[in-house]
Amino acid sequence: MACPVPFISIGSMCLEFLFSDLTFGQASVSCVSEGGSLATIRTAEELRDFFLYVNQLGIADTNFWVGGSDVQSEGIWTWPDGTLVPMGTPFWGTYGPFAQTQEPNGGTEENYLALTSIGYYFFRDVVCNAEMKAVCMYKK
Ligand SMILES: [Ca+2]
């Protein structure tokens, strides 16, 4: 599947990685200016494709914003186009030394979705002013 420059084909997705340290808001604006939006991950296959690509590229020590947020309504996670983020397994990771809880676990303190190295790129809720890289998506 061909993707318009600067997006690259990963599985069924057209993605662009931004390797600047950005807040969620900055990342969101940057993706829009690239002609896309922060990435949406709708299926387990897409999450798997992302994971494999990051490992193949040797950047599996890097954290990335993607497009999910529950800032508008706590607990209701949506993508930039307003559709619902899938909840539970196998999308959201676990937290704690014995994986006692499942993400999202930050309540009103953490309203933005990231794929982090320490979380093995399962979904995780993060505070908005954290700075990390970002994954943009071109919507086909
Ligand atoms: Ca929240």
Side-chain angles (χ1 to χ4, degrees):
M1 145 55 82
C3 298
V5 175
F7 296 89
I8 53 174
S9 178
I10 298 174
S12 61
M13 304 173 286
C14 292
L15 303 181
E16 179 192 8
F17 290 78
L18 302 181
F19 289 104
S20 307
D21 291 318
L22 304 166
T23 64
F24 183 91
Q26 290 168 336
S28 179
V29 168
S30 296
C31 286
V32 170
S33 73
E34 295 287 309
S37 65
L38 277 170
T40 66
I41 306 278
R42 297 189 189 280
T43 67
E45 187 177 11
E46 288 178 349
L47 185 58
R48 175 70 177 164
D49 287 338
F50 174 86
F51 176 83
L52 291 175
Y53 183 81
V54 165
N55 278 275
Q56 180 190 329
L57 212 62
I59 54 171
D61 58 348
T62 309
N63 302 325
F64 299 97
W65 292 118
V66 290
S69 172
D70 76 333
V71 70
Q72 290 196 338
S73 182
E74 173 59 29
I76 310 295
W77 286 82
T78 56
W79 297 117
D81 68 358
T83 57
L84 291 173
V85 175
M87 302 306 292
T89 305
F91 296 98
W92 292 80
T94 57
Y95 190 81
F98 302 101
Q100 299 98 321
T101 61
Q102 185 166 26
E103 305 274 355
N105 62 356
T108 56
E109 300 291 308
E110 300 183 348
N111 295 331
Y112 299 93
L113 207 165
L115 306 176
T116 67
S117 174
I118 198 171
Y120 296 97
Y121 299 107
F122 287 103
F123 293 1
R124 175 171 207 168
D125 59 339
V126 176
V127 296
C128 68
N129 59 355
E131 292 193 339
M132 58 185 92
K133 318 310 182 200
V135 188
C136 306
M137 172 179 279
Y138 176 80
K139 192 160 187 184
K140 293 178 283 199

